[in-house]
Amino acid sequence: MKSIKHDKSTKVPILDVPILDVFDKIIVYIYRKDIPLTEIEDAKAIIDAADKYGVDSIKCAAEMYYVNNFHITTENVADLLYYADAKNCLKLKEAAMKYLTLHTDEVVASDAFSSLCDSKHIMKEIVLSMST
């Protein structure tokens, strides 16, 4: 069996991560298990990149930062549910569902609710979460 030689000087471009700083934070986390987050936007960008590249541990860490620092409102709860569902972020989804349960009347009366009604999948999850 032949061994494959790799040229360590070859650069691999990563074009689909919009912020080089995000990729740097992923690398730091891989080696130090520390995620230096200070902004919600950074957490979301890290969730996106970690989801794409399958780095679940940093995705979970960024998700927890997001859950602990994102202010959920009637206007943004629908977007948060769609995002959490798309990225399979269970803690984000749980936080959004909790908000929805505690503020049902306001959410149902909002424009955000009509967009939630477009997704049978998410509406089913909402109904099931409210029935338990």
Side-chain angles (χ1 to χ4, degrees):
M1 187 157 104
K2 265 185 157 177
S3 65
I4 299 172
K5 293 184 181 185
H6 295 282
D7 181 3
K8 294 181 181 181
S9 66
T10 302
K11 294 182 180 183
V12 177
I14 299 176
L15 304 173
D16 54 351
V17 176
I19 306 168
L20 186 57
D21 187 47
V22 169
F23 191 72
D24 288 343
K25 287 179 182 178
I26 291 172
I27 296 298
V28 167
Y29 184 82
I30 289 170
Y31 288 102
R32 291 193 309 189
K33 301 296 181 210
D34 177 37
I35 184 167
L37 287 173
T38 56
E39 300 289 331
I40 287 292
E41 292 80 18
D42 287 348
K44 191 172 182 183
I46 287 172
I47 289 169
D48 292 344
D51 183 65
K52 181 169 188 141
Y53 292 105
V55 188
D56 292 337
S57 56
I58 194 171
K59 180 179 169 185
C60 290
E63 181 182 0
M64 287 313 302
Y65 179 87
Y66 204 99
V67 166
N68 292 329
N69 293 284
F70 185 73
H71 180 69
I72 303 173
T73 66
T74 302
E75 292 77 29
N76 67 24
V77 70
D79 290 338
L80 184 61
L81 273 171
Y82 278 118
Y83 179 72
D85 188 60
K87 299 298 177 180
N88 197 27
C89 293
L90 301 179
K91 294 292 182 185
L92 275 177
K93 190 182 281 189
E94 182 181 312
M97 291 289 191
K98 182 177 180 182
Y99 179 89
L100 207 149
T101 302
L102 294 173
H103 302 91
T104 305
D105 292 339
E106 296 124 60
V107 174
V108 169
S110 73
D111 292 335
F113 186 72
S114 62
S115 73
L116 286 174
C117 291
D118 293 340
S119 171
K120 290 179 184 179
H121 166 73
I122 290 179
M123 284 305 293
K124 181 179 178 181
E125 286 191 39
I126 291 169
V127 170
L128 290 173
S129 75
M130 295 178 125
S131 67
T132 56

